[in-house]
Amino acid sequence: DELYRYIAVNHGFDPDVVEHQLKEEEFKQAAYYDFALTRQLQVSSYPAAFIQVKDLDFYMIAKGYTDYDTLKLRIENVMREAGIKPGNSN
């Protein structure tokens, strides 16, 4: 628990809130879901960035460091391929 408190403080979070949330079933289930999704998406390094365009349709747009211009271009390409117009949330 002390490690989590240390990490929380060093990232600007209230350590009491973090410690409490780590023990709640809702947050445990959310973490398990994220771990399962990470395995399914075959994330093998940090950082990685994805765009979710449908319930089960993800595009990896970054694996490791990616500069802004490259990331922006990839986002635009995914949006175009998925038929999403800029400013449209669907």
Side-chain angles (χ1 to χ4, degrees):
D1 288 346
E2 286 304 312
L3 176 61
Y4 292 121
R5 294 181 67 79
Y6 174 81
I7 292 169
V9 167
N10 283 293
H11 287 86
F13 295 101
D14 181 329
D16 294 327
V17 171
V18 170
E19 187 173 11
H20 174 74
Q21 288 177 337
L22 286 172
K23 296 176 183 175
E24 288 188 8
E25 189 62 28
E26 174 186 356
F27 288 92
K28 287 181 185 179
Q29 291 304 317
Y32 293 142
Y33 173 80
D34 284 346
F35 294 144
L37 183 59
T38 299
R39 279 191 302 274
Q40 181 181 349
L41 295 173
Q42 300 178 353
V43 175
S44 60
S45 64
Y46 173 84
F50 292 82
I51 294 178
Q52 182 177 6
V53 295
K54 294 181 184 171
D55 284 345
L56 299 174
D57 199 2
F58 294 83
Y59 290 81
M60 180 183 280
I61 59 170
K63 184 175 183 179
Y65 171 78
T66 305
D67 65 79
Y68 172 80
D69 291 332
T70 301
L71 196 57
K72 183 175 184 234
L73 180 63
R74 291 177 182 170
I75 291 169
E76 290 167 353
N77 288 339
V78 167
M79 291 177 66
R80 185 173 31 262
E81 184 175 323
I84 301 169
K85 295 179 181 177
N88 186 354
S89 61
N90 292 330

